[in-house]
Amino acid sequence: MAQKLKIGIIGATGYTGAELARILLDHPLAELKYLTSTSFAGQDINEIYPFLRPRFSHKLTEYKAGDTAGLDVVFIALPHGHSMRIVPELLANKSRVIDLGADFRFADLALYEKTYQPHTAPEWNKKAVYGLPELNRAKIKEASLVANPGCYVTAATLALKPIVDNLKFVSDSIIIDAKSGLSGAGRALRQDTHFLEVYSNFSAYKIGAHRHQPEIEQNLGGLRVTFTPHLLPVNRGIFATIYVKLSEKLKKENALAALNNAYKDEPFVKIVENPPVLKDVVGSNYCLISPVVNDDRLVLISALDNLIKGASGQAAQNMNIMFGLDERLGLERLALNP
Amino acid sequence: MAQKLKIGIIGATGYTGAELARILLDHPLAELKYLTSTSFAGQDINEIYPFLRPRFSHKLTEYKAGDTAGLDVVFIALPHGHSMRIVPELLANKSRVIDLGADFRFADLALYEKTYQPHTAPEWNKKAVYGLPELNRAKIKEASLVANPGCYVTAATLALKPIVDNLKFVSDSIIIDAKSGLSGAGRALRQDTHFLEVYSNFSAYKIGAHRHQPEIEQNLGGLRVTFTPHLLPVNRGIFATIYVKLSEKLKKENALAALNNAYKDEPFVKIVENPPVLKDVVGSNYCLISPVVNDDRLVLISALDNLIKGASGQAAQNMNIMFGLDERLGLERLALNP
Amino acid sequence: MAQKLKIGIIGATGYTGAELARILLDHPLAELKYLTSTSFAGQDINEIYPFLRPRFSHKLTEYKAGDTAGLDVVFIALPHGHSMRIVPELLANKSRVIDLGADFRFADLALYEKTYQPHTAPEWNKKAVYGLPELNRAKIKEASLVANPGCYVTAATLALKPIVDNLKFVSDSIIIDAKSGLSGAGRALRQDTHFLEVYSNFSAYKIGAHRHQPEIEQNLGGLRVTFTPHLLPVNRGIFATIYVKLSEKLKKENALAALNNAYKDEPFVKIVENPPVLKDVVGSNYCLISPVVNDDRLVLISALDNLIKGASGQAAQNMNIMFGLDERLGLERLALNP
Amino acid sequence: MAQKLKIGIIGATGYTGAELARILLDHPLAELKYLTSTSFAGQDINEIYPFLRPRFSHKLTEYKAGDTAGLDVVFIALPHGHSMRIVPELLANKSRVIDLGADFRFADLALYEKTYQPHTAPEWNKKAVYGLPELNRAKIKEASLVANPGCYVTAATLALKPIVDNLKFVSDSIIIDAKSGLSGAGRALRQDTHFLEVYSNFSAYKIGAHRHQPEIEQNLGGLRVTFTPHLLPVNRGIFATIYVKLSEKLKKENALAALNNAYKDEPFVKIVENPPVLKDVVGSNYCLISPVVNDDRLVLISALDNLIKGASGQAAQNMNIMFGLDERLGLERLALNP
């Protein structure tokens, strides 16, 4: 058996960090060696996430620059703005890095800075590889720094890329009406994550002003899209309903062909005839996509688990690619259903 | 005090029928005299809906043609196809009729027949008044037969009508991405209403093929729209996210002005600056609408309770209008929140 | 028509304060004159609770001692420890006071102090009347200060009092296994009220150590009980499953007789043959109670809405009693169901 | 690598059957060869359970007696009353059998017949081994027919057995207040499994009359218990709050010692100091148990996933034991949390 990868997670107590731990515990070639937390340093991670108790105990430490020496791969699961500060020292320590935050996702630094904040590691940004395996597998394999895309962007990009590349559509007609489970909002305490604000409720937020919109537009070659995120009263899942006005009348087969052609060999993107429901993917690393066509109107449904294919599962998939492992290792479980 | 209205409900044990009973129990001038059910005739309605026990007991009977004599108003809460058979005899018995089903909602019978089924009472269809109070109040006041619109249609029409009447928009650009709580699917047992199919789940259904699309199009003067209904894992509520491409760059004030102007005197339609969340309306007869404008793109949020403003509350509002009562009577309660 | 009561709510932006506002808006003889908030003074209450927008606008102020002059009744909806400080000045200002907190609920001050904290207004404690209408109606009518009991205590006391008063039971055998919707935990941000901690989850807390246990024991004449509260993943409702070992074999009729006899004239306590479900009461001021008897084992189900009969509805019921109004005024609405 | 086990599932489209398929797809030594369904014969199982689409396709057939020849193990996931008819022919065909139903769970046939129905295979009942690994591992290893216990019984028995075996308690004082997610009610359509009857609701059912009570009593050597099942508005999970009156004052350590001693080497039963919440176990095969002691009163919390440790996971665990495999194979994944 191959030697196990020595792994660090910077920011292990946010949802994506803990999810990464959960996923990698089932990975036969992963060994969790270093888990950091600013807020909970000194505690065991299973005090913060008691569901880990039956199998996992690991003391959290505060991140220090030299501590990652000897790790094969370090995942960064921190809010944007933090990675750019620590990536240089992680790479200097010879670990390969997979960043689940936004800092290195934009080829165009000006767009990053407009969307987020000033960038303090521009020279490293040039070396970063955008970590969407289905678009970028070869480069990911060689990368020392992978910028792992997030949930909305993955769902929208995977559904739209083969369409805009292969079908004729009306410019400026793309609308992404996306619905997300609450774990996308993170573990921090805010009034709008209080149970009573979310349960049995539904809402739109940051209409036309969400930070993921420019990233989707980047992935589609600069196309302008309309993007509305909504909060679903569930814990996990992204369900995107995507509208494209076509320039000609087409049939479902045309859309299916474009999608199937793009993903026929992909282990984690599946094109299905009947639209998926959210629970077809929750708990899994799969993204399911289905098209409906009425003359010149195309509706795409794209569904994935925001913490898995939309974050930590995709990060583990990137790790598998980077280290030449079977891409599916540790990631093939199906949705937990019902 | 005015004399109480004698009221019948045909189909009192579906969700809209029982909701009507619940609402009218709080109406100071309503007296429930006649409740029918085919499946549960002979039982007390509070055996079927035990939440009624503390205040209401009424034996359900099977509907018979002559039984409605002496009733001031009869509500029909049956699936489409039934009203057209019984409306003639109800009207012959001198009751005024409010039909919560689809049979008399279409001015164009051919469109009804294409969407639903052959119509057996075409001469009565001509006399029916479409029961959206905000558009049709004067005619409702005089009507003997009111066709009460449903939940998706009310939410979409109220938001869109002032926009398409007052702003310039790109033809064929209107998209209605609507999300509904499960009570819209009715009380019947189907695999897709089983708790385990819905809880923590989300899905789209009848994409581009839902029967409410032609009705919305009728209300907008024949405009073509794209309509996608979704199932929210909650019991009540419609939340519609509506997209309109404008023909010019505008500001939020332009959309607000159009909406405020249309509804400034309306008791149950409120235009709000901050988009409503679903629980702002659940349990109430209010429809809340809010616009967001980015240059030439308009996003409208429209929210209501599907069983109240989207069905039984609207029916009671129509009753108030028809009988010259204060339109707000029995209907002013706010959402149950949290 | 009688003159309206001028009403103040101290602490109007917690859940019970806002619920009181919601309830009193539907009360024909209530006029909300004075709403205070420490955190949100200067804002309109409908900015904090947007569901109020369609009907209610009121600027929140910081509580000041003299401001309540001229109010007929002041409700205090603050955490324990606050009421005892302000009750003296409220009463000095001639308002009658209904306290939704715990400060004046214990006849035995030592028990209060053991359970909560030192008491700074012991002389007022003597004048307080325990506000459970079904046990204490006559005294409430005359009281200037009413201590309104909470949700768990109301559900347990109403079910158990007629049993322990009328049936023979095994000492020390009473077990109250109670389940509460999350609104009982309040609006404050804590990790355990985060949506993701509660949704699709269930937990017990403060097993054998909850502050409501001594209050229940007080209401039962000092009987010792075992009390386990649990958190239900819903917004509202108390569902208590109560076990009593009887000293003899009995039939259901014996328990029904004891309960019916106690509550036959009560407007808001209903004894039902078939056990209630939670949604039979959520949204209403009713408490439904049902007994099951197997030989010498009695199981009681008791259900109510924690924010209504378990807090603000009961407070309004007390107000009606204190001012000689029909006790049901503003409180008769049924559960919102489905 | 060892040869894969050839596996059949009789009744593959109920929840426990499909869950077994889901679990065994992740088992490295399991090969699903034969899946039957009466209602859906001829269809692919992934049409009934679309979440299986990404990885699994298998045509369902109607069960026929000879078809199981050559299978190493056959799981029966049918309602009670069916297994007793087909077990003889399955065993004749040389498969070992794990029955997830109730037919062979009672050593005392009279008790089975009183609880369920007449038993038609009494001679096979004698050979059946009760499949609770923690109590019966050695016999399970040798068994040709294993009767897999259900969810309530597993949760209650695992918590209570070490207590009643090791501590002194008051006879007839044991109360099991159990709460179950809805998947325990099965996939069949009934009014009480309709989403609107369950969502945001809570209820008790079959108070003192549930079929699992005698089975729990059997496992505790005939002790009489009081058992109340409740329905939680979630899809999965059993949470049992169990009360035992002790005959002497004890400390938590005494209860912990009894439990730890019983389960210290168990892979799937974990004793924890802080009571588990439901989501600590949902999605996993673990049963978590925690005691709270106040003088002479003991409260036990026991939590497990009803479809896994309470059904299909336990069945797979039994399979591992029967075939000499590592008992943890395919079953170690942690809860899906959040």
Side-chain angles (χ1 to χ4, degrees), chain C residues 89-298:
Chain C
E89 61 206 32
L90 293 173
L91 293 175
N93 271 328
K94 312 279 187 207
S95 303
R96 293 169 87 178
V97 175
I98 299 171
D99 180 17
L100 283 79
D103 287 5
F104 297 96
R105 287 181 191 156
F106 284 76
D108 176 356
L109 261 188
L111 185 57
Y112 175 85
E113 298 197 332
K114 184 181 162 200
T115 311
Y116 291 92
Q117 63 175 79
H119 203 293
T120 63
E123 69 286 14
W124 297 98
N125 196 54
K126 284 177 216 144
K127 303 187 182 172
V129 170
Y130 192 74
L132 196 53
E134 292 76 10
L135 301 192
N136 245 358
R137 185 170 282 112
K139 287 187 183 163
I140 292 166
K141 201 170 162 57
E142 307 302 326
S144 55
L145 171 58
V146 167
N148 202 64
C151 49
Y152 283 129
V153 176
T154 299
T157 303
L158 289 175
L160 278 166
K161 193 75 169 71
I163 298 299
V164 302
D165 283 353
N166 293 287
L167 302 185
K168 290 177 184 156
F169 60 96
V170 176
S171 163
D172 202 24
S173 77
I174 299 175
I175 288 172
I176 301 160
D177 191 282
K179 300 88 177 172
S180 170
L182 199 81
S183 53
R187 195 170 181 270
L189 299 181
R190 305 194 315 245
Q191 202 63 49
D192 60 3
T193 61
H194 190 293
F195 181 77
L196 284 244
E197 300 284 336
V198 181
Y199 183 70
S200 214
N201 208 349
F202 186 76
S203 59
Y205 65 103
K206 297 186 184 164
I207 302 171
H210 194 281
R211 282 163 165 165
H212 286 170
Q213 181 168 324
E215 190 180 336
I216 297 168
E217 292 173 341
Q218 160 188 275
N219 293 351
L220 301 178
L223 278 178
R224 196 168 76 134
V225 303
T226 296
F227 172 60
T228 310
H230 299 76
L231 271 189
L232 275 174
V234 306
N235 22 25
R236 288 169 178 250
I238 294 283
F239 189 102
T241 311
I242 301 172
Y243 301 88
V244 185
K245 181 100 176 275
L246 303 172
S247 304
E248 52 189 333
K249 293 190 179 187
L250 290 179
K251 293 197 177 307
K252 185 172 184 171
E253 290 74 46
N254 303 98
L256 277 173
L259 291 161
N260 276 321
N261 198 49
Y263 300 124
K264 61 180 180 298
D265 298 325
E266 285 299 332
F268 294 116
V269 180
K270 301 295 173 192
I271 310 307
V272 291
E273 291 248 6
N274 293 320
V277 301
L278 194 67
K279 290 209 317 188
D280 285 344
V281 294
V282 170
S284 84
N285 195 50
Y286 295 95
C287 178
L288 297 186
I289 301 171
S290 188
V292 176
V293 180
N294 280 314
D295 294 343
D296 58 352
R297 295 185 258 190
L298 167 66

Side-chain angles (χ1 to χ4, degrees), chain A residues 172 175-177 179 196 199-204 207-208 224-226 228 230 232-235 239 241 243 245 275 277-279 292 294 296-297 299 301 338, chain B residues 172 175-177 179 196 199-204 207-208 224-226 228 230 232-235 239 241 243 245 275 277-279 292 294 296-297 299 301 338:
Chain A
D172 201 26
I175 288 172
I176 301 159
D177 191 282
K179 301 87 177 171
L196 284 246
Y199 183 69
S200 213
N201 208 349
F202 187 76
S203 58
I207 302 172
R224 195 168 77 133
V225 303
T226 296
T228 310
H230 299 77
L232 276 175
V234 305
N235 22 24
F239 189 102
T241 312
Y243 301 88
K245 183 97 177 276
V277 302
L278 193 67
K279 289 210 316 190
V292 176
N294 281 313
D296 58 352
R297 295 185 259 192
V299 181
I301 304 295
Chain B
D172 202 24
I175 288 171
I176 301 160
D177 190 283
K179 300 87 177 171
L196 284 246
Y199 183 69
S200 213
N201 208 349
F202 186 75
S203 58
I207 302 172
R224 196 168 75 134
V225 304
T226 296
T228 310
H230 299 77
L232 276 174
V234 306
N235 23 24
F239 189 101
T241 310
Y243 301 88
K245 182 100 180 273
V277 301
L278 193 67
K279 289 209 318 189
V292 175
N294 280 313
D296 59 350
R297 294 186 257 190
V299 181
I301 303 294

